[in-house]
Amino acid sequence: MNSMRNSLPCPVCRSELMPSERQGIEIDGCPTCRGVWLDRGELDKIVERAADYRPRGEPEGFGGTRPYGRGSPL
């Protein structure tokens, strides 16, 4: 976490964002409106880790293909 960085205002409510670190990824959260803001590259890190995540006890390949693959409508 870069503690030397100036605090930024929330783009929604202008409150001071509070940086925190989760599993090595720094996120900025607003204590007032509860928004979460990511810097460049942080979403990519989250997506990569989510793709590698498998809950304990779940066999590899469980559940078949993902229903929301690239290009699929939500």
Side-chain angles (χ1 to χ4, degrees):
M1 194 163 24
N2 185 0
S3 59
M4 298 301 290
R5 175 173 99 174
N6 292 334
S7 61
L8 299 171
C10 174
V12 175
C13 70
R14 311 309 291 170
S15 293
E16 183 178 327
L17 293 177
M18 303 300 293
S20 64
E21 188 173 320
R22 298 280 191 259
Q23 298 180 358
I25 300 171
E26 185 177 301
I27 60 172
D28 297 306
C30 178
T32 305
C33 73
R34 314 239 336 138
V36 176
W37 307 97
L38 303 171
D39 294 331
R40 182 184 311 258
E42 291 171 345
L43 180 58
D44 292 333
K45 290 178 186 176
I46 292 169
V47 170
E48 287 172 10
R49 289 180 186 186
D52 294 337
Y53 175 75
R54 184 167 36 102
R56 277 184 279 176
E58 183 177 294
E60 191 165 336
F62 180 76
T65 61
R66 294 182 178 167
Y68 301 111
R70 177 173 265 154
S72 297
L74 294 176

